[in-house]
Amino acid sequence: MLHAEGWDDFELIDSGAGRKLERYGRIVVDRPEPQAMWTPGLPESEWARADAVFTGEDDDEGHGRWRANRALPEAWEMRYGPARFICRFTGFRHVGVFPEQRAHWDWMTGLIRNAGRPVRVLNLFGYTGLASLLAAEAGARVTHVDASKKAIAWARENQVLSGMDALPIRWILDDAVKFTAREVRRGSVYEGIVLDPPKFGRGPKGEVWELFEGLAEMLRLVRGVLAPQPLFIALTAYAIRASFLAAHRLGEEVFGDLAGAIESGELALVEAETGRLLPTSMFTRWSAR
């Protein structure tokens, strides 16, 4: 279990009854969290003070809407380490950042800084680019791939906001599977690979991605673009009905012959007041040491 603590701009305030109460900057949101099956720790009066509540479909594949309890900006800024980024209310209950990923961000940037050699990072399903910005700032050359034009534009916006325009990041609008397959044919290699595939998605040309059907092929393609002396691989999946043991077994099959360590488990957020853990996703990751 990898615990992701809050930071100045983020905290998990409470969770329970299928929901979570979080602070992003100065804005407190109440949104669905199916894994929070327990009783909330705070009284309803505290939850009622949320600035925005997500209603409607609670599945990432469906659209709902946000109900604002006060006048709120359409976008606002947050910071994590050297990266500054924009948050927005989306129709998929997200706001543009997954705070539990800081467990991977800190691990990845530490490996990059201590590598003592050039590091190329491939970020697949890169979304709004926080992992790409942090990897580049740590010294890596980054290739960021996402199938959403809107997500790429958001990531570029975050790059400018962070003052990281000069950092070596290639922004690629493409289907992750097709792009990686072409990289295999081109002989391109990377020392570090990050992938955070959705349960379901579509590429820019209508390509269909389904996690349970496509993950094994995706990891085998990833193996094909690993450099001779790789540094790390990090896979995160937000598929609640999946087991991290299943991902671990697949990871062992594809990467098990590499010298180093492979570990799997769950990412969890820590509630600020109680210290209770809220599981958010499963992960499998490998590192050379």
Side-chain angles (χ1 to χ4, degrees), residues 178-243:
K178 288 186 174 180
F179 175 83
T180 310
R182 288 197 302 273
E183 290 289 85
V184 171
R185 294 193 294 271
R186 287 189 285 249
S188 300
V189 294
Y190 301 86
E191 284 72 28
I193 300 178
V194 179
L195 60 162
D196 182 9
K199 288 180 288 185
F200 177 85
R202 291 191 181 277
K205 297 182 179 179
E207 302 93 339
V208 176
W209 164 265
E210 293 185 3
L211 181 73
F212 292 94
E213 286 73 20
L215 184 57
E217 177 193 3
M218 184 78 258
L219 288 188
R220 292 185 183 108
L221 289 171
V222 162
R223 178 60 191 265
V225 296
L226 274 181
Q229 292 183 301
L231 190 61
F232 66 86
I233 304 154
L235 162 71
T236 309
Y238 288 81
I240 293 173
R241 71 180 177 92
S243 164

Side-chain angles (χ1 to χ4, degrees), residues 57-107:
E57 296 289 338
D58 64 4
D59 194 296
D60 288 348
E61 298 165 19
H63 285 275
R65 68 182 193 81
W66 290 90
R67 184 188 75 241
N69 293 328
R70 66 176 178 88
L72 295 173
E74 292 185 3
W76 67 100
E77 293 183 18
M78 285 181 59
R79 178 189 293 271
Y80 183 75
R84 296 171 65 188
F85 54 95
I86 295 292
C87 286
R88 294 185 174 92
F89 297 111
T90 73
F92 295 90
R93 71 187 168 104
H94 305 305
V95 296
V97 59
F98 292 83
E100 60 273 15
Q101 289 285 339
R102 72 165 293 184
H104 288 331
W105 299 337
D106 295 347
W107 172 80

Side-chain angles (χ1 to χ4, degrees), residues 17-169:
R19 305 198 60 89
K20 56 186 174 181
L21 189 67
E22 303 161 291
R23 178 179 59 80
Y24 290 86
R26 297 182 178 180
I27 295 179
V28 175
V29 303
D30 169 0
R31 57 183 181 145
E33 180 47 73
Q35 299 204 84
M37 296 181 285
W38 44 84
T39 301
L42 294 176
E44 178 59 32
S45 58
E46 291 297 315
W47 285 72
R49 296 170 61 183
D51 298 306
V53 180
F54 188 86
T55 60
E57 296 289 338
D58 64 4
D59 194 296
D60 288 348
E61 298 165 19
H63 285 275
R65 68 182 193 81
W66 290 90
R67 184 188 75 241
N69 293 328
R70 66 176 178 88
L72 295 173
E74 292 185 3
W76 67 100
E77 293 183 18
M78 285 181 59
R79 178 189 293 271
Y80 183 75
R84 296 171 65 188
F85 54 95
I86 295 292
C87 286
R88 294 185 174 92
F89 297 111
T90 73
F92 295 90
R93 71 187 168 104
H94 305 305
V95 296
V97 59
F98 292 83
E100 60 273 15
Q101 289 285 339
R102 72 165 293 184
H104 288 331
W105 299 337
D106 295 347
W107 172 80
M108 169 190 70
T109 54
L111 290 171
I112 293 168
R113 292 184 196 282
N114 294 323
R117 56 189 170 97
V119 176
R120 292 157 293 187
V121 170
L122 175 61
N123 186 9
L124 298 168
F125 309 95
Y127 195 39
T128 57
L130 268 294
S132 295
L133 295 177
L134 292 168
E137 196 277 336
R141 300 185 67 86
V142 179
T143 298
H144 173 110
V145 182
D146 199 279
S148 166
K149 186 175 182 179
K150 186 177 294 186
I152 292 285
W154 195 339
R156 293 292 299 272
E157 187 178 5
N158 288 338
Q159 182 184 26
V160 172
L161 182 64
S162 298
M164 298 182 181
D165 311 58
L167 292 183
I169 305 175

